[in-house]
Amino acid sequence: MTLTRDFFRRPAPAVARDLLGKELVRRTPEGVGAGIIVETEAYLGVRDPASHAFGGRRTRRTETLFGPAGRAYVYLIYGLYHCLNLTAGESEEAAECVLIRALEPAGGMELLRRRAGALPDRKLASGPGRLCRALGIGMELNGEDLGGGRLFVREGRPVAGEEVAASPRIGIDYAGEAREWPLRFLLRESPFVSRR
DNA sequence: CTCACGATTAGA
DNA sequence: CTAATCGTGAGA
């Protein structure tokens, strides 16, 4: 039912692709919020100019990227928003991960709406910053094991190959030729993806 | 120590 | 189109 470490201990692009249709669940004292993953991006770690770990950068921030697969890598962006990644890859040295970019809200709607503020349901969790806000994900979850119960991924609905589209990643114009690598995966027909 | 800047978002 | 807002990472 819930995905175990072996699921994440594979190349990041495969993990990113296979996460589509799965359900991300967040448990807090206030209640449970959940959503179906509809958009992801793979980051290839030390060999990916778009990755925080590019070139082997191992710092306080990137430490969890160099740890085991199947954990949350959370960071603050623009001093305002959080982004949620799930660590992946067959070797820890590679420092690969998958960015969760958009969810289709699927549980705890009242809680999600309350945290997201005045947004239509289709935008509640559309975008990496918005989904973290809606699910109540902050730095306290950085390094969190996805088997710990506060945050995990489980089977959602099956996804056929024709439903999946790949495209270049968003917001990495600084990454040279890597900005064209087709490492963004999304459900073609989903109205909940962050961009068309 | 300084300083440029970001895997984003909301709003004009 | 720009502002918001602060931790990070590189370099002096």
Side-chain angles (χ1 to χ4, degrees):
Chain A
M1 237 5 242
T2 123
L3 304 185
T4 59
R5 175 147 298 147
D6 288 335
F7 177 89
F8 297 95
R9 201 177 298 156
R10 298 180 294 141
V15 174
R17 155 65 183 78
D18 292 345
L19 278 172
L20 296 178
K22 301 292 191 291
E23 185 177 26
L24 179 69
V25 184
R26 166 67 170 142
R27 277 190 217 282
T28 64
E30 297 76 51
V32 180
I36 299 294
I37 298 172
V38 299
E39 180 182 349
T40 61
E41 284 178 359
Y43 285 83
L44 308 186
V46 298
R47 63 200 171 90
D48 179 358
S51 169
H52 293 160
F54 180 54
R57 272 194 306 252
R58 187 167 185 164
T59 63
R60 178 146 73 264
R61 177 172 68 158
T62 64
E63 195 54 37
T64 90
L65 284 176
F66 289 90
R71 295 189 178 182
Y73 168 52
V74 182
Y75 66 91
L76 181 67
I77 183 69
Y78 291 100
L80 296 168
Y81 307 99
H82 295 279
C83 288
L84 170 68
N85 300 258
L86 308 181
T87 57
E90 300 170 283
S91 88
E92 299 184 6
E93 295 75 43
E96 296 180 18
C97 70
V98 175
L99 172 69
I100 309 300
R101 280 197 61 91
L103 304 175
E104 172 180 339
M109 293 304 298
E110 281 192 27
L111 183 55
L112 299 189
R113 290 190 189 110
R114 192 184 332 143
R115 284 197 286 235
L119 283 176
D121 285 355
R122 55 185 288 151
K123 289 194 176 174
L124 278 187
S126 176
R130 283 195 285 257
L131 78 85
C132 282
R133 188 177 55 187
L135 290 186
I137 292 171
M139 291 308 296
E140 70 280 0
L141 285 181
N142 185 38
E144 179 90 353
D145 194 296
L146 296 181
R150 297 202 294 175
L151 182 69
F152 58 93
V153 184
R154 67 183 173 203
E155 291 299 334
R157 65 170 183 81
V159 167
E162 311 83 64
E163 298 181 67
V164 177
S167 81
R169 294 171 290 181
I170 304 295
I172 55 159
D173 289 350
Y174 57 84
E177 72 164 37
R179 72 176 155 201
E180 287 161 35
W181 298 353
L183 294 178
R184 175 186 183 223
F185 300 89
L186 52 94
L187 291 182
R188 234 183 254 287
E189 303 294 307
S190 174
F192 299 93
V193 299
S194 68
R195 293 209 214 171
R196 250 10 285 185

